[in-house]
């Protein structure tokens, strides 16, 4: 089973169970909790009415004890219970909210006023030493009539509350049964809707994007450079970007690997060339130089020997250029000031400039140092200057500019010529080894400049416009010690 099918099945089961049971249980729990609170309130009302009945009974008992025993403390207890009943009636009045309960509670209060008034009357007469037979008669009247009515009113109210509680329980039970019968199919419907939404999200947000990514990767195996990753939202989009970045890295690594293999082949060839040609060239030049010292040579022979020496020097320089590109080198980097390097290098270059070309130095005096191998950077400058000189017309101007970027903590070196420029059609190939448009060039100058710049933490870029000139820029990170 595919992973997408497993996700769909798991999502179906999970949301079916949670959607059905969770929704129903939440509502049932909420209704049950509400019913329990209502029943608790009814029970509290019954308990409070019982307390009032009990206090009324104690009140009547205190009257009997006072009449029978003429104990003054019984009268104090009577007053205490009377005050307590009044306080309880006031405190619980807010519990009875509907009209029927309010009417019944008002009847209890009215009956209590009668009972309390009669009881206080007996106590007053008992204090005046009224005949005991009369007191007994009034006591019996209170017990059988007033207290009976008080007790009956409370009992009737309690019965109503009991009946209300029973009816409430029955009603709530029926509501729960009806609710379950209604909600259970509704929960199925909701679960189905949720399942459809999850399936749609999973299909559009996971399965289809993953399938597209798989197809793109499969199709890109043959031609990785032509692969174009689609763009998605969320995590799949990040995954697509990661794949694109990975393929880009692989492509660059593969290009570097091919270039390394090519350089290794060139290195092996260069070693053979150096061994098989360089030494004989030196011998040829030495013989020509010795022959030139003879006195019996005519002018034609001297010119021929000089031409031999010149061509052997040219060929020797080209071989050295080739060897400098193929020979592995590890830069010996140290703090270097580009301004100082240019000030030392440019005067010697200016003395050999052809075509009356002028070099204009524009150096930033606040330029921070860079961490580099000064000999390699010098070679980079010479290679870029050679290209600028070859591109310039007679009487041309070459500008060498240095400046610092405090925001990016960078140092910028620019070599600008105003010559013929580079056609846009060949801009992508100018850094390739052995690519050249000059019959006298080796095609290694820019390749060497690019390699040495990167080895020293620099980024070399070329901007050019045909007929207006070329700007070679190198961006280094500044060194702060």
């Amino acid at each position: 089973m595919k992973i997408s099918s497993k996700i769909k099945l798991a999502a179906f089961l999970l949301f079916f169970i949670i959607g059905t049971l969770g929704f129903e249980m939440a509502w049932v729990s909420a209704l049950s909790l509400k019913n329990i609170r209502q029943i608790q309130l009814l029970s509290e009302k019954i308990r409070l009415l019982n307390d009032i009945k009990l206090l009324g009974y104690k009140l009547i008992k205190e009257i009997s004890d006072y009449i029978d025993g003429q104990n003054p403390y019984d009268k104090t207890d009577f007053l205490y219970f009377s005050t307590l009943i009044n306080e309880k009636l006031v405190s619980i009045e807010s519990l009875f909210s509907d009209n029927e309960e309010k009417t019944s509670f008002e009847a209890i209060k009215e009956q209590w006023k009668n009972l309390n008034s009669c009881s206080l009357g007996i106590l007053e007469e008992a204090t005046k030493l009224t005949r005991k037979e009369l007191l007994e008669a009034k006591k019996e009247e209170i017990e059988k009539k007033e207290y009976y009515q008080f007790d009956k009113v409370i009992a009737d109210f309690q019965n109503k509350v009991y009946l209300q509680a029973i009816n409430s329980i029955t009603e709530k039970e029926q509501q729960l049964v009806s609710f379950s019968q209604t909600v259970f199919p509704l929960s199925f419907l909701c679960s189905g809707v949720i399942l459809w939404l999850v399936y749609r999200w999973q299909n559009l947000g996971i399965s289809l994007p993953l399938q597209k990514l798989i197809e793109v990767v499969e199709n890109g195996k043959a031609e990785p450079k032509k692969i174009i990753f689609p763009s998605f939202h969320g995590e799949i989009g990040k995954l697509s970007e990661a794949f694109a970045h990975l393929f880009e890295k692989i492509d660059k690594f593969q290009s570097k690997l091919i270039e390394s293999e090519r350089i290794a082949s060139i290195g092996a060839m260069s070693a053979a060339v150096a061994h098989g040609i360089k030494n004989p060239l030196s011998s040829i030049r030495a013989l020509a130089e010795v022959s030139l010292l003879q006195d019996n040579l005519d002018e034609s022979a001297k010119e021929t020997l000089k031409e031999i020496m010149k061509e052997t020097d040219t060929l020797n320089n080209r071989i050295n250029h080739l060897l400098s590109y193929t020979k592995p080198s590890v830069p010996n980097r140290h703090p270097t000031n580009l301004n100082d390097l240019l000030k030392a290098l440019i005067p010697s270059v200016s003395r050999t400039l052809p075509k009356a070309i002028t070099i204009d130095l524009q150096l930033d005096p606040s330029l921070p140092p860079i961490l580099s191998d000064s000999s390699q950077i010098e070679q980079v400058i010479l290679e870029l200057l050679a290209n600028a000189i070859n591109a310039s017309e007679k009487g041309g101007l070459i500008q060498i500019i240095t400046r610092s970027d405090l925001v990016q903590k960078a140092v910028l070196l620019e070599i600008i010529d105003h010559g013929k420029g580079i056609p846009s059609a060949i801009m992508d190939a100018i850094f390739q080894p052995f690519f050249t448009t000059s019959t006298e060039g080796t095609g290694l100058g820019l390749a060497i400049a690019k390699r040495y710049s990167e080895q020293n933490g620099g980024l070399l870029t070329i901007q050019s416009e045909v007929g207006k000139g070329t700007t070679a820029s190198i961006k280094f990170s500044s060194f702060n010690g």
Side-chain angles (χ1 to χ4, degrees), residues 51-70:
D51 290 345
I52 293 174
K53 283 178 63 177
L54 180 61
L55 289 173
Y57 172 76
K58 290 182 178 180
L59 187 98
I60 296 300
K61 186 175 182 303
E62 294 301 329
I63 293 175
S64 299
D65 291 344
Y66 183 73
I67 292 173
D68 294 339
Q70 295 294 314

Side-chain angles (χ1 to χ4, degrees), residues 48 54 98 113 155 164 194 199 247 254 256 261 281 356 367 371 378-379 397 403 438 454 462:
L48 292 171
L54 180 61
D98 62 58
K113 288 180 182 179
Q164 184 181 358
I194 293 173
Y199 174 81
F247 269 72
Q254 190 174 22
K256 287 184 178 180
E261 291 177 351
L281 277 177
L367 198 71
L371 194 64
E378 183 177 316
Q379 182 69 24
L397 173 67
R403 61 172 178 267
S438 172
E454 292 175 351
I462 303 291

Side-chain angles (χ1 to χ4, degrees), residues 163-180:
L163 184 61
Q164 184 181 358
I166 292 172
N167 290 336
S168 177
I169 292 172
T170 304
E171 180 185 355
K172 300 305 179 184
E173 182 182 4
Q174 291 176 351
Q175 288 179 356
L176 286 175
V177 171
S178 176
F179 173 79
S180 299

Side-chain angles (χ1 to χ4, degrees), residues 409-424:
K409 297 181 179 180
V411 172
L412 188 66
L413 169 64
E414 291 182 333
I415 298 178
I416 305 171
D417 69 68
H418 304 278
K420 55 189 177 182
I422 303 172
S424 58

Side-chain angles (χ1 to χ4, degrees), residues 2-18:
K2 293 182 179 179
I3 186 169
S4 59
S5 301
K6 291 181 180 179
I7 293 174
K8 292 174 186 175
L9 179 60
F12 175 83
L13 294 176
L14 177 64
F15 278 94
F16 177 80
I17 295 172
I18 294 177

